[in-house]
Amino acid sequence: MKRALIAAAAFAALVPAHAQQAQPTPELQALDDALPGTLVNDPSRMDWSFYGTEQKTKNVQDPAIPGGGAAVQVTVARAGANIYDSGANVPLRTGIAAGRDYTVALYARTLKSDAPGGKGRIGVRFQQNAAPYDGFGDQTLEVGSDWTLYEVTARADKAIPAGQAIVGLQLAGAKQVIEIGQVIIVEGATSIRTVKRVETAAAPDPELPPQLKDKGRMLNDPANRDWAIYGEGQATKPTVTNVYGRVGTLFSIAAAGSAPHVSGASIPLKEGIKDGDILTIAVLARTLSAATPDGQGLLSVRIQKNAAPYDGFLDKQVKVGPNWRLYQLRTQAGMDIAAGSAQLTLHTGAAQQEIEIGPVYVIREEPVLTSAN
């Protein structure tokens, strides 16, 4: 089955490339340009090589299927002695280079399964499609009933020549009916959930979110990503949010610090602050992972001076969930901060975590003027 290419935006916020070979079509090149790493398969093709006597397949199309509106439905009549007794082989356009990272991403859901918990089973393996069928990265996905994007990443411990490199989807792990959407495979990236080319993929924050309109006077430039990033053990990279298509930054914290403020970012304010000002601070954010009891990220927010001893106020910690949300805080300034000296700081050091932060808004509420009768 040949389907229209997945738009990169379909993977929401879908980032270094190894191969320099151009993609064979403009459509594939456009997708490659938007993805992390280098695209090494043709995601528009779903006529994979299916094998195994205990399974049947049929193509399904529905606009509700994420990532392109098409999938392959696989019915496995009975579990095999091995998970690889039936399945599908997805070909790579290139070979596999030893020492490189490879990621396969696919949407899937389970319609019925006799496996414990009722979840389907998909074994994923990067492999040479020739004897002795060497491979790496073996992982079994437990697939729920809702369409979900699954990723498997592995570092190649061997080279596989072009024409023999595949990703095997092994399906004999249960008696099941499972649907698999289009598959994206990239080299040189450990996820496709962030975007490589921010400068062409996102607009520079054209207008306020509706929740913030008419709140007051903006004290910062939400489109300015020239933030002062600081702290050891913290890495950042640019992304594009899937809310409004705006520029974001992914903060990866390797380990919790001694205090939240040991790492983070400082955002300059264009105007000063007066004691008694009523401020609204809004941060668009989500958590990709967090080593916290509830899996939520921890982000601390503070208004302060940009020089020692960094006097300030607010000091509010926010729990950041896995879905994009505009977190709003309202506070009253407890001091004067002169123009050119005021900043908003975002402290990220409270946990080992990955937090993606989009635009940030600092607004001073203005008094409503009414005309005299």
Side-chain angles (χ1 to χ4, degrees):
M1 177 169 53
K2 182 80 171 178
R3 294 291 299 162
L5 277 170
I6 304 169
F11 282 96
L14 281 189
V15 223
H18 165 65
Q20 299 300 315
Q21 179 181 358
Q23 297 292 337
T25 68
E27 293 82 8
L28 282 173
Q29 187 62 57
L31 181 59
D32 190 9
D33 288 345
L35 285 167
T38 300
L39 182 67
V40 294
N41 76 312
D42 182 348
S44 69
R45 300 203 65 89
M46 303 180 72
D47 50 352
W48 310 318
S49 175
F50 292 90
Y51 65 91
T53 59
E54 299 297 337
Q55 72 178 13
K56 296 181 180 179
T57 64
K58 70 174 182 179
N59 298 330
V60 293
Q61 297 185 16
D62 187 330
I65 298 173
V72 177
Q73 185 181 111
V74 183
T75 300
V76 181
R78 61 183 57 85
N82 305 289
I83 193 173
Y84 55 76
D85 287 347
S86 62
N89 293 332
V90 181
L92 275 62
R93 291 182 48 252
T94 67
I96 287 176
R100 296 289 294 170
D101 290 324
Y102 290 85
T103 294
V104 56
L106 57 93
Y107 274 103
R109 70 172 178 175
T110 297
L111 301 182
K112 183 167 53 178
S113 174
D114 285 355
K119 290 188 175 183
R121 300 288 188 269
I122 301 178
V124 180
R125 174 179 169 86
F126 297 87
Q127 181 175 298
Q128 183 171 2
N129 194 26
Y133 302 101
D134 288 336
F136 60 92
D138 298 73
Q139 183 173 328
T140 300
L141 304 174
E142 293 190 354
V143 177
S145 58
D146 295 327
W147 283 111
T148 301
L149 180 65
Y150 297 89
E151 289 189 334
V152 172
T153 297
R155 178 159 295 180
D157 61 4
K158 57 180 57 67
I160 301 176
Q164 296 184 11
I166 63 166
V167 167
L169 305 179
Q170 303 165 344
L171 303 174
K175 179 182 178 181
Q176 60 186 351
V177 181
I178 201 162
E179 292 183 342
I180 304 172
Q182 291 173 305
V183 175
I184 281 183
I185 307 166
V186 297
E187 175 193 355
T190 57
S191 174
I192 67 166
R193 297 176 189 269
T194 50
V195 172
K196 180 169 62 176
R197 298 195 175 182
V198 173
E199 70 277 8
T200 59
D205 199 29
E207 60 181 21
L208 282 174
Q211 305 97 307
L212 300 180
K213 287 187 175 180
D214 303 319
K215 282 272 191 179
R217 183 176 179 82
M218 188 70 63
L219 299 185
N220 72 307
D221 179 2
N224 177 18
R225 303 301 293 197
D226 188 20
W227 299 349
I229 309 295
Y230 66 90
E232 295 183 1
Q234 172 176 263
T236 62
K237 61 182 175 183
T239 65
V240 174
T241 74
N242 64 346
V243 180
Y244 315 120
R246 294 175 178 174
V247 174
T249 303
L250 177 63
F251 291 78
S252 299
I253 315 305
S258 58
H261 60 74
V262 299
S263 63
S266 298
I267 302 165
L269 304 186
K270 298 183 292 183
E271 298 185 13
I273 293 172
K274 295 294 185 182
D275 188 3
D277 281 350
I278 304 299
L279 305 175
T280 293
I281 295 93
V283 181
L284 184 66
R286 68 171 178 175
T287 294
L288 274 64
S289 66
T292 57
D294 57 6
Q296 296 193 79
L298 297 175
L299 184 68
S300 296
V301 181
R302 174 179 169 86
I303 299 286
Q304 66 181 35
K305 296 180 180 179
N306 61 6
Y310 302 103
D311 293 334
F313 57 92
L314 181 57
D315 290 303
K316 178 70 174 179
Q317 187 173 84
V318 177
K319 285 190 173 184
V320 179
N323 299 315
W324 283 112
R325 176 180 167 187
L326 189 67
Y327 294 87
Q328 295 188 56
L329 304 171
R330 191 169 183 264
T331 188
Q332 184 171 18
M335 63 180 65
D336 290 345
I337 303 180
S341 300
Q343 64 183 17
L344 174 73
T345 58
L346 303 176
H347 299 149
T348 61
Q352 176 186 337
Q353 58 187 340
E354 289 185 304
I355 290 185
E356 193 171 1
I357 301 175
V360 174
Y361 309 88
V362 181
I363 299 171
R364 179 170 56 219
E365 297 186 12
E366 300 287 356
V368 178
L369 301 178
T370 59
S371 57
N373 292 331

